Structure formats: C-alpha cells, structure tokens
Amino acid sequence: MGRDLGRLAALRLVPGGAAEGYRPPEAAVREALRLASSEAVQLPTGNLTLEQLAGIFSALPADITFVDADDRVAFFSEGPDRIFARSKAILGRKVQHCHPPRSVDVVDRIVSDFREGRQDVAEFWINFHGKFVHIRYFAVRDREKRYLGRWK
C-alpha cells in the first residue's frame, strides 16, 4: 500500500482533472455497458437505452422542450414537477402556436437571434400563477455551429 501511495503522490494533476502519467486500463469500459445498437442511443460520451434516457428526462427537476430548426415542437419532458402543462398534441406544432398571442413577437425574436447566430441563450423571469419562474432558452447547434433548434 505504501508503494501505491508513493506512486499516487508522484502523479501531477493537469487541466481537466486528469493525472499526468496515469493511463486507464484498456478495458476501462466494461463489456456490460456496451449495448447492441438496436437497444441503445449512441452518444459521443457513451450510450443509453431509450428507457434510461426517458428516465433521465423524467427525473430532471426542469421542464425541457425541444423545438427543431423548422420551429416545430419535437420533444418535451414529462417530469413530476412540470410548471407548464404539455400535451402530446403539441408535437409537430409550430412553437408560435404554443404561446399566448402577446408573447409571439418575443418568441419570434429569440428564434431569429438563435437562427442568425446573434445569441445562444435567452433568459427572463415571468410571473406565472403567482410564482416567479425563470425561463431559459438555449440554441442547439452542431459542430459546425449550424442551428438545429432550441430547448427550454
């Protein structure tokens, strides 16, 4: 054990939290974590089953709605603490038709700014049924910075 502690003490942390000189074993990703492509959503940092992914979105303490590059609602989370009620009837609907008429100009401005690359985040507070609610919209872009949509 003393030899291992000495070896650990000799390692130096580098930016990002890794230890210089440390090499993880080749089989760092257990075989059990590798899922058949038909069972998993492959992501750059790992993979998840659809059940796991749905569970993650359901457990998050936030409302998440994704609007695609054509301004259509493509997804929303169904957590127990939702502030804004959602029905599956909104899927495929233009986002402008999901907001009160008085706020459509704000929605259009945010979407335009995201699409044109003028901003990547829009946030504000509203009073909703006697509660102050912090709303944040985020532009979603691919590696080449092309606009893919937005999520809230």
Side-chain angles (χ1 to χ4, degrees), residues 2-130:
R3 190 171 132 205
D4 289 339
L5 287 176
R7 190 179 74 146
L8 287 174
L11 295 177
R12 185 171 64 91
L13 290 180
V14 295
E20 187 175 322
Y22 172 74
R23 298 282 183 265
E26 291 297 318
V29 177
R30 297 187 327 242
E31 289 298 320
L33 292 179
R34 293 193 181 125
L35 304 171
S37 60
S38 63
E39 299 173 3
V41 175
Q42 304 293 324
L43 301 166
T45 57
N47 55 61
L48 298 165
T49 66
L50 289 176
E51 183 178 28
Q52 291 168 330
L53 197 54
I56 289 168
F57 279 115
S58 293
L60 292 173
D63 291 7
I64 296 177
T65 302
F66 179 75
V67 176
D68 68 18
D70 295 322
D71 298 345
R72 297 197 178 274
V73 177
F75 168 84
F76 65 90
S77 62
E78 296 184 288
D81 301 320
R82 280 203 70 86
I83 294 170
F84 301 103
R86 295 279 187 264
S87 158
K88 290 182 181 169
I90 70 164
L91 295 173
R93 186 182 296 173
K94 289 289 241 183
V95 69
Q96 292 85 349
H97 299 148
C98 299
H99 289 81
R102 69 181 182 278
S103 65
V104 171
D105 63 325
V106 174
V107 172
D108 284 339
R109 189 171 48 248
I110 291 169
V111 169
S112 174
D113 286 349
F114 285 177
R115 185 172 278 115
E116 300 301 320
R118 289 187 292 268
Q119 68 181 45
D120 287 322
V121 179
E123 60 184 310
F124 47 90
W125 290 86
I126 65 167
N127 186 332
F128 186 72
H129 299 296

